[in-house]
Coordinates of all heavy atoms in Angstrom, one line a residue:
M1 N 129.8 -60.4 -9.6 CA 130.3 -61.8 -9.2 C 129.5 -62.8 -10.0 O 128.3 -62.6 -10.2 CB 130.1 -62.0 -7.7 CG 130.7 -63.3 -7.2 SD 130.3 -63.7 -5.5 CE 131.4 -62.5 -4.7
N2 N 130.1 -63.9 -10.4 CA 129.5 -65.0 -11.1 C 129.4 -66.2 -10.3 O 130.1 -66.4 -9.3 CB 130.3 -65.3 -12.4 CG 130.3 -64.1 -13.4 OD1 129.3 -63.4 -13.5 ND2 131.4 -63.9 -14.0
C3 N 128.5 -67.1 -10.7 CA 128.3 -68.4 -10.0 C 129.5 -69.3 -10.1 O 129.9 -69.6 -11.2 CB 127.0 -69.1 -10.5 SG 126.8 -70.7 -9.7
F4 N 130.1 -69.7 -9.0 CA 131.2 -70.5 -9.0 C 130.9 -71.9 -9.4 O 131.6 -72.6 -10.1 CB 131.8 -70.6 -7.5 CG 133.1 -71.3 -7.4 CD1 134.3 -70.8 -7.8 CD2 133.1 -72.6 -7.0 CE1 135.5 -71.5 -7.7 CE2 134.3 -73.4 -6.8 CZ 135.4 -72.8 -7.2
E5 N 129.7 -72.4 -9.0 CA 129.3 -73.8 -9.4 C 129.1 -73.9 -10.9 O 129.5 -75.0 -11.5 CB 128.0 -74.2 -8.6 CG 128.2 -74.4 -7.2 CD 129.1 -75.6 -6.9 OE1 129.0 -76.6 -7.5 OE2 130.0 -75.4 -6.0
C6 N 128.5 -72.9 -11.5 CA 128.3 -73.0 -13.0 C 129.7 -73.1 -13.7 O 129.8 -73.8 -14.7 CB 127.5 -71.8 -13.4 SG 125.8 -71.9 -13.1
R7 N 130.6 -72.3 -13.2 CA 131.9 -72.3 -13.8 C 132.6 -73.7 -13.6 O 133.2 -74.3 -14.6 CB 132.8 -71.3 -13.1 CG 132.6 -69.9 -13.6 CD 133.2 -69.6 -14.9 NE 134.6 -69.9 -15.0 CZ 135.6 -69.0 -15.3 NH1 135.2 -67.8 -15.3 NH2 136.8 -69.4 -15.4
Q8 N 132.5 -74.3 -12.5 CA 133.1 -75.6 -12.2 C 132.4 -76.7 -12.9 O 133.1 -77.6 -13.5 CB 132.9 -75.8 -10.7 CG 133.8 -75.0 -9.8 CD 135.3 -75.4 -9.8 OE1 135.5 -76.6 -9.4 NE2 136.1 -74.6 -10.2
L9 N 131.1 -76.7 -13.0 CA 130.4 -77.8 -13.5 C 130.3 -77.8 -15.0 O 130.4 -78.8 -15.7 CB 129.0 -77.9 -12.9 CG 129.0 -78.1 -11.4 CD1 127.6 -78.0 -10.8 CD2 129.5 -79.5 -11.0
S10 N 130.0 -76.6 -15.6 CA 129.7 -76.6 -17.0 C 130.4 -75.5 -17.8 O 130.1 -75.2 -18.9 CB 128.2 -76.5 -17.2 OG 127.7 -75.4 -16.5
Q11 N 131.3 -74.8 -17.1 CA 132.1 -73.8 -17.8 C 131.2 -72.7 -18.3 O 131.5 -72.0 -19.3 CB 132.9 -74.4 -18.9 CG 133.9 -75.5 -18.5 CD 135.0 -74.9 -17.6 OE1 135.7 -74.0 -18.0 NE2 135.3 -75.5 -16.5
T12 N 130.0 -72.5 -17.7 CA 129.2 -71.4 -18.1 C 129.3 -70.3 -17.1 O 129.7 -70.5 -15.9 CB 127.7 -71.9 -18.2 OG1 127.3 -72.4 -17.0 CG2 127.5 -72.9 -19.3
V13 N 128.8 -69.1 -17.5 CA 128.9 -67.9 -16.6 C 127.5 -67.5 -16.3 O 126.7 -67.2 -17.2 CB 129.7 -66.8 -17.3 CG1 129.6 -65.5 -16.4 CG2 131.1 -67.2 -17.5
R14 N 127.1 -67.5 -15.1 CA 125.8 -67.0 -14.6 C 126.0 -66.0 -13.5 O 126.9 -66.2 -12.6 CB 124.9 -68.1 -14.2 CG 124.2 -68.8 -15.3 CD 123.4 -70.0 -14.8 NE 122.0 -69.6 -14.5 CZ 121.1 -70.5 -14.1 NH1 121.4 -71.8 -14.1 NH2 119.9 -70.1 -13.9
T15 N 125.2 -65.0 -13.5 CA 125.3 -64.0 -12.4 C 125.0 -64.6 -11.1 O 123.9 -65.2 -10.9 CB 124.4 -62.8 -12.7 OG1 124.8 -62.3 -14.0 CG2 124.6 -61.7 -11.7
A16 N 125.8 -64.4 -10.1 CA 125.5 -64.9 -8.7 C 124.4 -64.0 -8.1 O 124.5 -62.8 -8.2 CB 126.8 -64.9 -7.9
E17 N 123.6 -64.6 -7.4 CA 122.5 -63.9 -6.6 C 122.7 -63.9 -5.1 O 122.1 -63.2 -4.4 CB 121.2 -64.5 -6.9 CG 120.8 -64.4 -8.4 CD 119.4 -64.9 -8.7 OE1 118.7 -65.2 -7.7 OE2 119.0 -64.9 -9.8
A18 N 123.6 -64.8 -4.7 CA 123.9 -64.9 -3.3 C 125.3 -65.5 -3.1 O 126.0 -65.9 -4.1 CB 122.9 -65.8 -2.6
V19 N 125.7 -65.5 -1.8 CA 127.1 -66.0 -1.5 C 127.0 -67.0 -0.4 O 126.2 -66.9 0.5 CB 127.9 -64.8 -1.0 CG1 129.3 -65.3 -0.5 CG2 128.2 -63.8 -2.1
C20 N 127.7 -68.1 -0.6 CA 127.8 -69.2 0.4 C 128.3 -68.7 1.7 O 129.4 -68.0 1.7 CB 128.6 -70.4 -0.1 SG 128.8 -71.6 1.1
R21 N 127.6 -68.9 2.7 CA 128.0 -68.4 4.0 C 129.3 -69.1 4.5 O 130.0 -68.6 5.3 CB 126.9 -68.6 5.0 CG 127.2 -67.8 6.3 CD 126.0 -67.9 7.3 NE 126.5 -67.6 8.6 CZ 125.8 -67.6 9.7 NH1 124.5 -67.9 9.6 NH2 126.3 -67.4 10.9
Q22 N 129.4 -70.4 4.1 CA 130.5 -71.2 4.6 C 131.8 -70.9 3.9 O 132.8 -70.6 4.5 CB 130.2 -72.7 4.5 CG 129.1 -73.1 5.3 CD 129.4 -73.1 6.8 OE1 130.6 -73.2 7.2 NE2 128.4 -72.9 7.6
C23 N 131.8 -71.0 2.6 CA 133.1 -70.9 1.8 C 133.2 -69.6 1.0 O 134.2 -69.3 0.5 CB 133.3 -72.1 0.9 SG 132.1 -72.2 -0.4
G24 N 132.1 -68.8 0.9 CA 132.1 -67.5 0.2 C 132.1 -67.5 -1.3 O 132.3 -66.4 -1.9
V25 N 131.8 -68.6 -1.9 CA 131.7 -68.6 -3.4 C 130.3 -67.9 -3.8 O 129.4 -68.0 -3.1 CB 131.8 -70.0 -4.0 CG1 133.1 -70.6 -3.7 CG2 130.6 -70.9 -3.6
G26 N 130.3 -67.4 -5.0 CA 129.1 -66.8 -5.6 C 128.2 -67.9 -6.1 O 128.7 -68.9 -6.6
L27 N 126.9 -67.8 -5.9 CA 125.9 -68.8 -6.3 C 124.7 -68.2 -7.1 O 124.2 -67.2 -6.6 CB 125.4 -69.5 -5.1 CG 126.4 -70.3 -4.2 CD1 125.8 -70.6 -2.9 CD2 126.9 -71.5 -4.9
C28 N 124.4 -68.9 -8.2 CA 123.2 -68.5 -8.9 C 121.9 -69.1 -8.2 O 122.1 -69.9 -7.3 CB 123.3 -68.9 -10.3 SG 123.1 -70.7 -10.5
A29 N 120.8 -68.7 -8.7 CA 119.5 -69.2 -8.1 C 119.4 -70.7 -8.1 O 118.8 -71.3 -7.2 CB 118.3 -68.5 -8.8
E30 N 120.0 -71.3 -9.1 CA 119.9 -72.8 -9.2 C 120.8 -73.5 -8.2 O 120.5 -74.6 -7.8 CB 120.3 -73.2 -10.7 CG 120.1 -74.6 -11.0 CD 120.6 -75.0 -12.4 OE1 120.5 -74.1 -13.3 OE2 121.2 -76.0 -12.6
H31 N 121.9 -72.9 -7.9 CA 122.9 -73.6 -7.0 C 122.8 -73.2 -5.5 O 123.4 -73.8 -4.7 CB 124.3 -73.4 -7.6 CG 124.5 -74.1 -8.8 ND1 124.9 -73.5 -10.0 CD2 124.5 -75.5 -9.0 CE1 125.0 -74.5 -10.9 NE2 124.8 -75.7 -10.4
L32 N 122.2 -72.1 -5.2 CA 122.2 -71.7 -3.8 C 121.2 -72.6 -3.0 O 120.2 -73.0 -3.6 CB 121.8 -70.2 -3.7 CG 120.5 -69.7 -4.1 CD1 119.4 -69.8 -3.1 CD2 120.7 -68.2 -4.5
R33 N 121.5 -72.8 -1.8 CA 120.6 -73.6 -0.9 C 120.3 -72.7 0.3 O 121.2 -72.2 1.0 CB 121.4 -74.8 -0.4 CG 121.8 -75.8 -1.5 CD 120.6 -76.5 -2.0 NE 121.1 -77.5 -3.0 CZ 121.1 -77.2 -4.4 NH1 120.8 -76.0 -4.8 NH2 121.5 -78.2 -5.2
V34 N 119.0 -72.4 0.4 CA 118.5 -71.6 1.5 C 118.1 -72.4 2.7 O 117.3 -73.3 2.5 CB 117.4 -70.7 1.0 CG1 116.9 -69.8 2.2 CG2 117.8 -69.8 -0.2
E35 N 118.7 -72.1 3.8 CA 118.3 -72.8 5.0 C 117.9 -71.8 6.1 O 118.3 -70.7 6.0 CB 119.4 -73.7 5.5 CG 119.8 -74.8 4.6 CD 121.0 -75.6 5.1 OE1 121.6 -75.2 6.2 OE2 121.4 -76.6 4.5
T36 N 117.1 -72.3 7.0 CA 116.7 -71.4 8.1 C 117.2 -72.1 9.4 O 117.1 -73.3 9.6 CB 115.2 -71.2 8.2 OG1 114.6 -72.4 8.3 CG2 114.7 -70.4 7.1
T37 N 117.8 -71.3 10.2 CA 118.4 -71.8 11.4 C 117.4 -72.3 12.4 O 117.6 -73.0 13.3 CB 119.3 -70.8 12.1 OG1 118.6 -69.6 12.4 CG2 120.5 -70.4 11.2
E38 N 116.1 -71.9 12.2 CA 115.0 -72.3 13.0 C 114.9 -73.8 13.1 O 114.6 -74.4 14.1 CB 113.7 -71.7 12.5 CG 112.5 -72.0 13.4 CD 111.2 -71.6 12.7 OE1 111.1 -71.9 11.5 OE2 110.4 -71.0 13.4
L39 N 115.2 -74.4 12.0 CA 115.1 -75.9 11.9 C 116.0 -76.6 12.9 O 115.8 -77.7 13.3 CB 115.5 -76.3 10.5 CG 114.6 -75.8 9.4 CD1 115.1 -76.3 8.0 CD2 113.2 -76.4 9.5
H40 N 117.1 -75.9 13.3 CA 118.0 -76.6 14.2 C 117.7 -76.3 15.6 O 118.4 -76.9 16.5 CB 119.4 -76.1 13.9 CG 119.8 -76.3 12.4 ND1 119.9 -77.6 11.9 CD2 120.1 -75.5 11.4 CE1 120.3 -77.5 10.6 NE2 120.4 -76.2 10.3
H41 N 116.7 -75.5 15.9 CA 116.4 -75.2 17.3 C 115.2 -76.2 17.7 O 114.2 -76.2 17.0 CB 115.9 -73.8 17.4 CG 117.0 -72.8 17.4 ND1 117.9 -72.7 18.3 CD2 117.3 -71.9 16.4 CE1 118.8 -71.7 18.0 NE2 118.4 -71.2 16.8
P42 N 115.4 -76.9 18.7 CA 114.3 -77.7 19.2 C 113.2 -76.8 19.8 O 113.5 -75.9 20.5 CB 115.0 -78.5 20.3 CG 116.1 -77.7 20.8 CD 116.6 -77.0 19.6
A43 N 112.0 -77.1 19.4 CA 110.9 -76.4 19.9 C 110.7 -76.8 21.4 O 110.7 -77.9 21.7 CB 109.6 -76.7 19.1
G44 N 110.5 -75.8 22.2 CA 110.3 -76.1 23.6 C 110.1 -74.9 24.4 O 110.1 -73.7 23.9
L45 N 109.9 -75.1 25.7 CA 109.6 -74.0 26.6 C 108.5 -73.1 26.3 O 108.3 -72.0 26.8 CB 110.9 -73.1 26.7 CG 112.2 -73.8 27.1 CD1 113.4 -72.9 27.1 CD2 112.1 -74.5 28.5
G46 N 107.6 -73.6 25.4 CA 106.4 -72.9 25.1 C 106.6 -71.6 24.3 O 105.7 -70.8 24.2
R47 N 107.8 -71.4 23.7 CA 108.0 -70.2 22.9 C 108.4 -70.5 21.5 O 109.2 -69.7 20.9 CB 109.1 -69.4 23.6 CG 108.7 -69.0 25.0 CD 109.7 -68.0 25.6 NE 109.7 -66.7 24.7 CZ 110.6 -65.8 24.9 NH1 111.5 -65.8 25.9 NH2 110.5 -64.7 24.2
S48 N 108.0 -71.6 21.0 CA 108.6 -72.0 19.7 C 108.1 -71.2 18.5 O 108.7 -71.1 17.5 CB 108.2 -73.5 19.4 OG 106.7 -73.6 19.4
T49 N 107.0 -70.4 18.7 CA 106.5 -69.6 17.6 C 107.0 -68.2 17.7 O 106.8 -67.4 16.8 CB 105.0 -69.6 17.6 OG1 104.5 -69.2 18.9 CG2 104.4 -71.0 17.4
S50 N 107.7 -67.8 18.7 CA 108.1 -66.5 18.9 C 109.4 -66.1 18.2 O 109.8 -65.0 18.1 CB 108.2 -66.1 20.4 OG 109.3 -66.9 21.0
R51 N 110.1 -67.2 17.8 CA 111.4 -66.9 17.2 C 111.4 -66.9 15.7 O 110.9 -67.8 15.1 CB 112.4 -68.1 17.7 CG 113.8 -67.8 17.4 CD 114.7 -68.9 17.9 NE 116.0 -68.4 18.2 CZ 116.5 -68.4 19.4 NH1 115.9 -68.9 20.4 NH2 117.7 -67.9 19.6
L52 N 111.9 -65.8 15.2 CA 111.9 -65.6 13.7 C 113.1 -66.4 13.2 O 114.2 -66.3 13.8 CB 112.0 -64.2 13.3 CG 110.8 -63.4 13.5 CD1 111.1 -61.9 13.3 CD2 109.7 -63.8 12.6
P53 N 113.0 -67.2 12.1 CA 114.1 -67.9 11.6 C 115.1 -67.0 10.9 O 114.7 -66.1 10.2 CB 113.5 -68.9 10.6 CG 112.2 -68.2 10.2 CD 111.7 -67.4 11.4
A54 N 116.4 -67.3 11.1 CA 117.4 -66.5 10.4 C 117.7 -67.3 9.1 O 117.6 -68.5 9.0 CB 118.7 -66.5 11.3
R55 N 118.1 -66.5 8.2 CA 118.4 -67.1 6.8 C 119.8 -67.4 6.7 O 120.7 -66.7 7.2 CB 117.9 -66.2 5.7 CG 118.1 -66.8 4.4 CD 117.4 -66.1 3.3 NE 117.8 -64.7 3.4 CZ 117.1 -63.7 2.8 NH1 116.0 -64.0 2.1 NH2 117.5 -62.4 2.9
R56 N 120.1 -68.5 6.0 CA 121.5 -68.9 5.8 C 121.6 -69.5 4.4 O 120.8 -70.4 4.1 CB 121.7 -70.0 6.9 CG 123.0 -70.6 7.0 CD 123.1 -71.4 8.3 NE 124.3 -72.1 8.3 CZ 124.5 -73.3 7.7 NH1 123.5 -73.8 7.1 NH2 125.7 -73.9 7.8
I57 N 122.5 -69.1 3.7 CA 122.7 -69.6 2.3 C 124.0 -70.3 2.2 O 125.0 -69.8 2.5 CB 122.5 -68.5 1.3 CG1 121.1 -67.9 1.3 CG2 122.9 -68.9 -0.1 CD1 120.9 -66.7 0.4
V58 N 123.9 -71.5 1.6 CA 125.2 -72.3 1.4 C 125.2 -72.9 0.0 O 124.2 -73.0 -0.6 CB 125.3 -73.5 2.4 CG1 125.4 -72.9 3.8 CG2 124.1 -74.4 2.3
C59 N 126.4 -73.3 -0.4 CA 126.5 -73.9 -1.7 C 126.3 -75.4 -1.6 O 126.3 -75.9 -0.5 CB 127.9 -73.6 -2.3 SG 129.2 -74.5 -1.4
P60 N 126.1 -76.1 -2.7 CA 125.8 -77.6 -2.6 C 127.0 -78.3 -2.0 O 126.7 -79.3 -1.3 CB 125.7 -78.0 -4.1 CG 125.2 -76.8 -4.8 CD 125.9 -75.6 -4.1
V61 N 128.2 -77.9 -2.2 CA 129.3 -78.6 -1.6 C 129.3 -78.5 -0.1 O 129.5 -79.5 0.6 CB 130.6 -78.0 -2.2 CG1 131.9 -78.6 -1.5 CG2 130.7 -78.2 -3.7
C62 N 129.1 -77.3 0.4 CA 129.1 -77.1 1.9 C 127.9 -77.8 2.5 O 127.9 -78.3 3.6 CB 129.1 -75.6 2.2 SG 130.6 -74.8 1.9
E63 N 126.7 -77.8 1.7 CA 125.6 -78.5 2.2 C 125.8 -80.0 2.4 O 125.5 -80.6 3.5 CB 124.4 -78.3 1.3 CG 123.1 -78.9 1.8 CD 122.0 -79.0 0.7 OE1 122.4 -79.3 -0.4 OE2 120.9 -78.7 1.0
Q64 N 126.5 -80.6 1.5 CA 126.8 -82.0 1.5 C 127.8 -82.3 2.7 O 127.7 -83.2 3.4 CB 127.4 -82.5 0.2 CG 126.3 -82.8 -0.8 CD 126.8 -83.7 -1.9 OE1 128.0 -84.0 -2.0 NE2 125.9 -84.2 -2.7
A65 N 128.8 -81.4 2.8 CA 129.8 -81.5 3.8 C 129.2 -81.5 5.2 O 129.6 -82.3 6.1 CB 130.9 -80.5 3.7
E66 N 128.2 -80.6 5.4 CA 127.6 -80.5 6.7 C 126.7 -81.8 7.0 O 126.7 -82.3 8.1 CB 126.7 -79.3 6.7 CG 127.5 -78.0 6.8 CD 126.6 -76.8 6.7 OE1 125.3 -77.0 6.6 OE2 127.1 -75.7 6.7
R67 N 126.1 -82.3 6.0 CA 125.3 -83.5 6.2 C 126.1 -84.7 6.4 O 125.6 -85.7 7.0 CB 124.4 -83.7 5.0 CG 123.3 -82.7 4.9 CD 122.3 -82.9 3.8 NE 121.2 -81.9 3.8 CZ 120.2 -81.9 2.9 NH1 120.2 -82.8 2.0 NH2 119.3 -81.0 3.0
S68 N 127.3 -84.8 6.0 CA 128.2 -85.9 6.1 C 128.8 -86.0 7.5 O 129.4 -87.0 7.9 CB 129.2 -86.0 5.1 OG 130.2 -84.9 5.3
E69 N 128.7 -84.9 8.3 CA 129.3 -84.9 9.6 C 128.5 -85.8 10.6 O 127.3 -85.9 10.5 CB 129.2 -83.5 10.2 CG 130.3 -82.6 9.6 CD 130.2 -81.2 10.1 OE1 129.3 -80.9 10.9 OE2 131.0 -80.4 9.7
Ligands
LIG1 ZN1 125.1 -71.8 -10.8
LIG2 ZN1 130.2 -73.3 0.2

């Protein structure tokens, strides 16, 4: 699989290293956005350090779409 963003933006081909969880496009290291769901959990109840963050990878387009909500 190749990076969808590289194809769209500059017509170049780069090997994808991950896949956007939202829309499923292939993403190279430059275009993938790694997020952890831990950031969205409010710390509380005295157990904030016991939870391991889950990883979540999105493309720049989906990242922007989420932030505009
Ligand atoms: Zn790319
Ligand atoms: Zn996406």
